[in-house]
Structure formats: structure tokens, C-alpha cells
Amino acid sequence: MNIVGLLLAGGQSRRMGGGDKALRLLGGRSLLERVIERLRPQTTALVLNANGDPARFAACGLPVVADSIPDFAGPLAGILAGLDWTAAHRPDCPVVASVATDAPFLPEDLVERLAQGMEAAGAELACAASGGQAHPVIGLWPVRLRDELRQALVEEGIRKVDIWTARYRLATVPFPEVAGIDPFFNANRPEDLNRAAVLLDRLEI
């Protein structure tokens, strides 16, 4: 199946002190570079969801799409932007795989396992889980649901991912730790970056 990878970087990064969290460095490379490196081999194409001047992401060489829903409406707005971009530019891709750009240790078989889990459960959507915790923004989204998502955002004011996904059959796919590291560890705060650097050293030994 052809799948577009959607890199979500549309938030305001308040807990990181503002700015672009995805451009913070880890081991001399940005979080965004590390996520791209892990996701690119798993997908047919990549698109970056970010608001504001797209030029600051020029170095990554990806198309950048902003939220169509105003006022930082959360990750669902970014997912809708990715679905709309895919419908317009990659109609050969019926599904979008979204990931957070502050998760530098994403599994290298993420998309494959999500797709298998969704198919096995006969589900319409899939999201990843680790350590007994679901990660709602890391998942698979059929492009055909984009108008229903738009209606939920615009007409109903829905903002929480799990409130919208509860309307559909959702497969929650568990992933194990690798070398004692949660594959969906996310760097929300400056101290998380310090922790990520320690984990990175463990992986590279």
C-alpha cells in the first residue's frame, strides 16, 4: 500500500520554551532530521505540517503544509492538513501515517506494523502504543475520512484526537521497548532532550 508520511510540527512548543521543537538538536542533528531518517524508508512520500514561515524548514527539502483550521487547533488540524495535501498531490496514496517530530526513536517497522494491526482488526484507523499507553497522534488515517474530520473540527469544535477516533474502529498496536528505550519517547521539555542524549549514547555504543 502506498502511504504518505506526515510529520507533525504545527504546535507551539510551549513546554520547550517556544520556537520550533523539531529543530532542536540531539547529538548534532535536529529532531526533525532524525524522524525523517526513520520514517522516509517506510513511506511513499513525506510532507511536513507546520505553521508560520515555511522557509525555516527549507533544509529538510519537504513540502510544508499549514493548518487550514485557524488558531492552533491541535494535532487533528495537522492531520487534516496532511489528508488534504495527500488527496491533492498523492491520490495514489489512500492512507497517511502521522508521527510526532519530537520522537527521535521511532520504530523502523512502525508503518508496516500499524498497517498489519489495522488489517487484522478490521479497523478503520490505527494508533501506536507502548508501555500500556496509547499515542494518538502516531497512527494511520484513511484519506477518505478527511471530510468527516473537517466537519468535526469546524462544525463541532472537536480538538482531542481520541474523541474523534472513538467514532471509528480503532486498532491500538503495541510496540516493545528497544534496548530499554520507549520507541515513542518524546522530547517535550529541555530536560527531555538531555535524557534523549543519554539514550542516544546507549543506542550507539
Side-chain angles (χ1 to χ4, degrees):
M1 184 192 306
N2 290 340
I3 293 179
V4 164
L6 172 63
L7 304 147
L8 295 170
Q12 294 174 287
S13 304
R14 289 194 185 98
R15 284 178 287 181
M16 191 64 84
D20 290 304
K21 182 166 50 172
L23 298 180
R24 296 293 180 102
L25 297 182
L26 171 62
R29 300 169 64 205
S30 71
L31 292 173
L32 179 58
E33 284 181 87
R34 292 185 177 278
V35 172
I36 288 172
E37 180 180 67
R38 286 183 170 258
L39 191 61
R40 190 191 297 275
Q42 305 184 49
T43 55
T44 309
L46 293 179
V47 61
L48 175 65
N49 164 242
N51 297 301
D53 184 359
R56 65 195 196 278
F57 296 105
C60 74
L62 298 179
V64 179
V65 59
D67 295 349
S68 61
I69 311 297
D71 302 323
F72 295 98
L76 281 176
I79 289 161
L80 176 60
L83 296 178
D84 283 343
W85 182 91
T86 301
H89 298 279
R90 293 305 304 250
D92 59 317
C93 297
V95 174
V96 167
S98 66
V99 300
T101 50
D102 61 0
F105 307 120
L106 290 172
E108 294 176 339
D109 59 353
L110 173 67
V111 175
E112 179 184 10
R113 290 186 58 180
L114 286 174
Q116 289 173 346
M118 189 166 73
E119 182 178 0
E124 297 164 283
L125 303 166
C127 80
S130 61
Q133 178 183 352
H135 305 287
V137 303
I138 299 177
L140 297 183
W141 312 84
V143 177
R144 61 181 171 78
L145 295 182
R146 66 194 180 98
D147 289 332
E148 294 173 35
L149 176 54
R150 191 185 335 277
Q151 179 178 337
L153 281 161
V154 174
E155 298 179 20
E156 301 174 56
I158 288 176
R159 296 293 181 261
K160 285 185 66 66
V161 175
D162 52 7
I163 290 178
W164 188 69
T165 58
R167 299 178 174 186
Y168 303 91
R169 293 188 303 277
L170 172 69
T172 301
V173 182
F175 287 78
E177 289 189 346
V178 177
I181 299 171
D182 183 336
F184 305 111
F185 173 96
N186 63 316
N188 269 322
R189 302 172 177 84
E191 56 266 33
D192 294 334
L193 274 178
N194 296 334
R195 173 68 178 149
V198 173
L199 297 176
L200 186 65
D201 285 344
R202 183 189 301 173
L203 283 176
E204 293 180 346
I205 288 175

